[in-house]
Amino acid sequence: MKEDVRNADSRTSDGPRDSQKVQVIERAFGLLETLVSFRGSATAGELKEATGLAGPTVHRLLHTLVGLGMVHQLPDRRYALGANLVPLGEGATRQLGGLAVPQMQSLVRELGESVNMAAMESEMVVYIAQAPSPHSMRMFTEVGRRVYLHSTGVGKAMLSTMEPKRVREVLASTGMPAMTPKTLTKPEALVEQLPVIAAQGYAIDDEEQELGVRCLAVPIPKGPTRMGLSVSGPTARMDDAFIRHAVPLMSRTAGEIGRMFSRR
């Protein structure tokens, strides 16, 4: 492996900026991304076939990644993502939320209600940024709070971007506990809503997470993971007229945030 790094550096040290890449690092991250695509675990042979890398290269990379805790070898000798990736991913997600705060604050000025940004982590919604409403009666969601996908507008918006089979897998994994009497608790009832949500481009949590609170949400396109933008407030202020006014503004802001992330 040391030889690979040395050769890559010597080949590219005098070249243009785009060629100054360390091949072994590209291969290691490519292997991790491939492992993610297996949604669980994979054998070294499966990873070799999927990446097109030589068998010895795959084994050297896996050995190093296991030593770093980035990959874990299971008792059946298959490989899965390691625990040391979790804090890296969570830290990166929180930083992405901070980058979007200016756009979120602009949306608060236009709508007057609290704006939240969330991402999907471990089949749950985690809030990664908030811009609070100027109203004395406003919704506050702590950054870092984790909630269920099925009971939140932003969770439904994320689910609407997924295949129905994957949605059912997620719901079976997390369960669908009732947060309020209005929470949907049957998978099929929610799955039936998702094509409508996808077609209209937004989702609503109508007192399904908290009584007296309505949440309007849109997915963020082109994000590095499934992400969404939501606006929440008391049901009395979040009426149909507000929703008609807010959706185009939210979609515009979500698009701006997605384009910002895709350029990084």
Side-chain angles (χ1 to χ4, degrees), residues 113-145:
E113 300 294 349
S114 297
V115 176
N116 294 292
M117 183 173 161
M120 182 175 170
E121 281 186 6
S122 302
E123 301 182 343
M124 297 284 282
V125 170
V126 58
Y127 290 98
I128 60 176
Q130 182 181 70
S133 164
H135 291 295
S136 57
M137 183 182 291
R138 63 191 182 199
M139 301 304 107
F140 176 78
T141 301
E142 183 180 0
V143 172
R145 182 187 180 197

Side-chain angles (χ1 to χ4, degrees), residues 7 10 31 59 87 102 141 144-146 155 164 167-168 170 181 193 211 216 252 258-259:
N7 288 344
S10 63
L31 195 66
H59 282 285
T141 301
R145 182 187 180 197
R146 301 172 71 87
V167 171
R168 291 186 177 91
V170 170
Q193 285 189 3
L211 290 175
L216 177 65
R252 180 203 66 196
R259 286 190 293 273

Side-chain angles (χ1 to χ4, degrees), residues 24-42:
V24 71
I25 295 177
E26 287 189 317
R27 288 176 171 178
F29 276 93
L31 195 66
L32 290 172
E33 290 173 348
T34 303
L35 196 50
V36 170
S37 71
F38 277 87
R39 290 181 179 171
S41 64

